[in-house]
C-alpha cells in the first residue's frame, strides 16, 4: 500500500468516525425543537451538562422515562397536556407553566410561547403565583350589610 493509499484510507476512516459521532448529537439537539421554548433553553432543558449528553436533570428523566415516542436517539418528545401538567422539579408549578404552555397545546413548528421562561428541572426557578381574584360585589358585601338592606325594605 502506497503512502497516498494509506493517507486516503486514514482520511476515509476519520470521516466515517466523524459522521458516526455527529449523528447521535444531531439527533438529540433536534429534541430542543420538540418542546416549547426548548430552542431558547438548549440542551440544558433535559441535561445536567449545558452542552448536552450525559446525565439528565429531573425534567429530562421524566421525558426519557415516559415521554419519548421510542427509546434511544430516534425517539421524539411527546409534548402535550399530560407532560405539561406534571411538575418535574416538585416546586408546585407545572412543566407547562414553567415553559410558557400551561395547557400543553404547543406543537412542533409553532412559535415559542411569549413571556417569562422558568426551568422545570430547578425547584428554585418558579413562576410567581397568579394574582388573587378580585372579589365580586356579592363577595365583598358583609352579612351585616345585607341585614341592613333587608331591614330597610
Amino acid at each position: 500500500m502506497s503512502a497516498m493509499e494509506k493517507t486516503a484510507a486514514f482520511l476515509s476512516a476519520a470521516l466515517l468516525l466523524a459522521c458516526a459521532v455527529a449523528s447521535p448529537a444531531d439527533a438529540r439537539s433536534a429534541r430542543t425543537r420538540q418542546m416549547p421554548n426548548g430552542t431558547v433553553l438548549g440542551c440544558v432543558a433535559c441535561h445536567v451538562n449545558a452542552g448536552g449528553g450525559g446525565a439528565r436533570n429531573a425534567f429530562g428523566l421524566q421525558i426519557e422515562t415516559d415521554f419519548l415516542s421510542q427509546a434511544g436517539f430516534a425517539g421524539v418528545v411527546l409534548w402535550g397536556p399530560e407532560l405539561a401538567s406534571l411538575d418535574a422539579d416538585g416546586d408546585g408549578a407545572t412543566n407547562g407553566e414553567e415553559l410558557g404552555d400551561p395547557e400543553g397545546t404547543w406543537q412542533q413548528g409553532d412559535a415559542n410561547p411569549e413571556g417569562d421562561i422558568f426551568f422545570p428541572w430547578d425547584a428554585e426557578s418558579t413562576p410567581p403565583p397568579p394574582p388573587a381574584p378580585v372579589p365580586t360585589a356579592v363577595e365583598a358585601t358583609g352579612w351585616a350589610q345585607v341585614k341592613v338592606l333587608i331591614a330597610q325594605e
Side-chain angles (χ1 to χ4, degrees):
M1 189 183 267
S2 72
M4 185 172 223
E5 289 173 328
K6 287 181 184 178
T7 302
F10 175 75
L11 290 175
S12 295
L15 180 62
L16 182 61
L17 180 62
C19 288
V21 171
S23 258
D26 290 342
R28 289 188 217 167
S29 68
R31 289 188 182 154
T32 62
R33 295 185 298 273
Q34 299 168 1
M35 67 186 81
N37 286 305
T39 55
V40 175
L41 297 170
C43 297
V44 75
C46 294
H47 293 272
V48 173
N49 178 352
R56 278 131 186 100
N57 58 40
F59 183 61
L61 288 172
Q62 204 169 53
I63 289 174
E64 182 181 37
T65 304
D66 296 317
F67 294 95
L68 286 179
S69 61
Q70 65 184 53
F73 297 125
V76 173
V77 176
L78 302 173
W79 179 260
E82 185 178 0
L83 179 54
S85 71
L86 299 176
D87 179 10
D89 56 12
D91 62 3
T94 67
N95 298 334
E97 289 169 338
E98 296 196 74
L99 292 175
D101 181 29
E103 304 300 320
T105 58
W106 180 92
Q107 295 181 3
Q108 187 172 352
D110 289 353
N112 281 324
E114 294 183 10
D116 293 332
I117 304 169
F118 299 89
F119 310 134
W121 64 89
D122 180 1
E124 299 298 315
S125 171
T126 307
V134 176
T136 64
V138 172
E139 292 170 330
T141 304
W143 181 241
Q145 292 171 316
V146 172
K147 283 190 208 177
V148 169
L149 289 173
I150 293 173
Q152 289 177 354
E153 290 185 17

